């Protein structure tokens, strides 16, 4: 169990630029989640994959956000035309899918939009 | 309505003492699960303990125990014999059938500081 891996750990970008984050889940986990966390708050759900299928998206996920999990393994989260309000920690988590299974989180990608 | 409420933004405890972190939840689903996570300043979310709505016993994991009061819809985390390394943000979370994604919904957290 190598854990959930996220890359990069930190990203600083100028407003209007596009950014892409990567998440490698625990290999035997078929469920993958993206969350966003702002300072002093709990993580907020963005989207969820079961294998390669994106099954749910939060209303927080605007049209500028897109996520993929093309082969049911790693996932990417892209933010187009970044805004200062996008500055946050983006957390990826994976789970084997049983109802009592916790989500296993990566260390997150901290995005700063200047 | 908020699904998970943590009313203590910050808590202090003396090293070696026990501390209780409060969590109340709201759901109409009879089947749900409650989770507690620890987030140190380094940022990673560490799973601590799980309680299912049908579990008869309160969950325990080492120094962590969950005081589950179903009728009051509360799931308080008890940390016994606090250590300096317990200083962190603690989040309560719930999974119920209301979300088809089976995602966790988190509270706003409690910042715990353990004093030497």
């Amino acid at each position: 169990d190598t854990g959930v891996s996220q890359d990069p750990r930190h990203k600083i970008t100028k407003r209007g630029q596009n950014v892409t984050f990567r998440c490698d889940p625990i290999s035997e986990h078929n469920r993958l989640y993206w969350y966003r966390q702002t300072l002093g708050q709990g993580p907020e759900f963005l989207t969820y994959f079961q294998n390669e299928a994106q099954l749910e998206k939060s209303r927080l996920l605007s049209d500028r956000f897109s996520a993929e999990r093309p082969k049911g393994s790693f996932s990417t989260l892209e933010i187009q035309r970044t805004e200062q309000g996008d500055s946050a920690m983006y957390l990826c988590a994976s789970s084997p899918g049983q109802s009592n299974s916790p989500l296993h989180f990566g260390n997150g990608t901290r995005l700063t939009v200047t | 309505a908020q699904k998970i409420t943590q009313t203590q933004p910050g808590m202090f405890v003396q090293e070696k003492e026990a501390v209780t972190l409060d969590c109340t939840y709201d759901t109409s689903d009879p089947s749900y699960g409650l989770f507690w996570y620890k987030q140190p300043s380094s940022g990673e979310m560490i799973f601590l303990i799980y309680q299912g709505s049908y579990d008869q016993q309160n969950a325990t994991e080492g120094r962590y125990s969950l005081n589950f009061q179903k009728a009051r819809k509360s799931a308080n985390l008890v940390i016994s014999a606090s250590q300096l390394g317990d200083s962190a943000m603690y989040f309560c979370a719930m999974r119920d059938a209301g979300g088809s994604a089976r995602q966790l919904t988190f509270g706003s957290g409690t910042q715990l500081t353990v004093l030497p």
Side-chain angles (χ1 to χ4, degrees):
Chain A
D1 181 352
T2 58
V4 178
S5 175
Q6 290 189 247
D7 184 67
R9 288 297 308 275
H10 304 273
K11 178 72 177 178
I12 300 173
T13 191
K14 292 186 187 301
R15 189 178 53 183
Q17 296 294 305
N18 299 344
V19 294
T20 300
F21 310 141
R22 177 179 171 123
C23 172
D24 288 89
I26 294 171
S27 57
E28 60 267 27
H29 288 180
N30 61 1
R31 295 188 177 203
L32 186 148
Y33 301 80
W34 285 99
Y35 279 78
R36 182 173 70 187
Q37 187 179 24
T38 52
L39 201 60
Q41 298 298 316
E44 296 174 295
F45 170 73
L46 292 178
T47 190
Y48 148 74
F49 290 84
Q50 181 154 324
N51 300 313
E52 66 276 9
Q54 187 175 18
L55 295 186
E56 187 160 330
K57 293 192 287 188
S58 161
R59 58 182 168 77
L60 294 175
L61 211 67
S62 77
D63 291 345
R64 297 184 296 105
F65 287 68
S66 62
E68 294 183 342
R69 194 183 182 196
K71 296 182 180 178
S73 56
F74 74 92
S75 175
T76 58
L77 178 68
E78 181 184 17
I79 309 174
Q80 296 182 327
R81 304 181 304 282
T82 51
E83 301 172 356
Q84 287 187 319
D86 297 331
S87 295
M89 175 77 87
Y90 290 84
L91 294 166
C92 176
S94 69
S95 165
Q98 287 85 9
S99 61
N100 62 349
S101 299
L103 270 56
H104 298 261
F105 284 86
N107 288 336
T109 294
R110 182 167 296 284
L111 174 66
T112 303
V113 182
T114 62
Chain B
Q2 232 175 348
K3 280 195 167 186
I4 296 286
T5 302
Q6 295 181 254
T7 57
Q8 306 154 313
M11 288 281 286
F12 293 87
V13 65
Q14 210 67 39
E15 195 178 6
K16 301 179 186 173
E17 298 290 314
V19 63
T20 298
L21 306 183
D22 294 342
C23 172
T24 58
Y25 59 91
D26 183 28
T27 181
S28 56
D29 189 345
S31 175
Y32 53 89
L34 297 154
F35 301 77
W36 276 91
Y37 282 83
K38 171 184 178 181
Q39 189 176 42
S41 56
S42 50
E44 72 269 32
M45 294 282 285
I46 302 166
F47 166 67
L48 297 177
I49 195 166
Y50 166 82
Q51 179 84 44
S53 59
Y54 293 121
D55 292 344
Q56 296 296 315
Q57 306 277 353
N58 284 345
T60 61
E61 287 287 348
R63 293 186 300 110
Y64 304 109
S65 60
L66 208 151
N67 183 0
F68 181 46
Q69 298 188 45
K70 198 169 180 176
R72 297 181 62 185
K73 293 189 174 179
S74 74
N76 299 339
L77 178 70
V78 181
I79 306 174
S80 62
S82 297
Q83 302 171 356
L84 296 177
D86 294 335
S87 293
M89 197 75 165
Y90 287 81
F91 291 100
C92 179
M94 180 175 68
R95 172 187 283 144
D96 63 9
S100 60
R102 309 290 287 165
Q103 77 270 26
L104 299 187
T105 301
F106 286 83
S108 56
T110 296
Q111 179 70 49
L112 176 67
T113 303
V114 180
L115 303 171

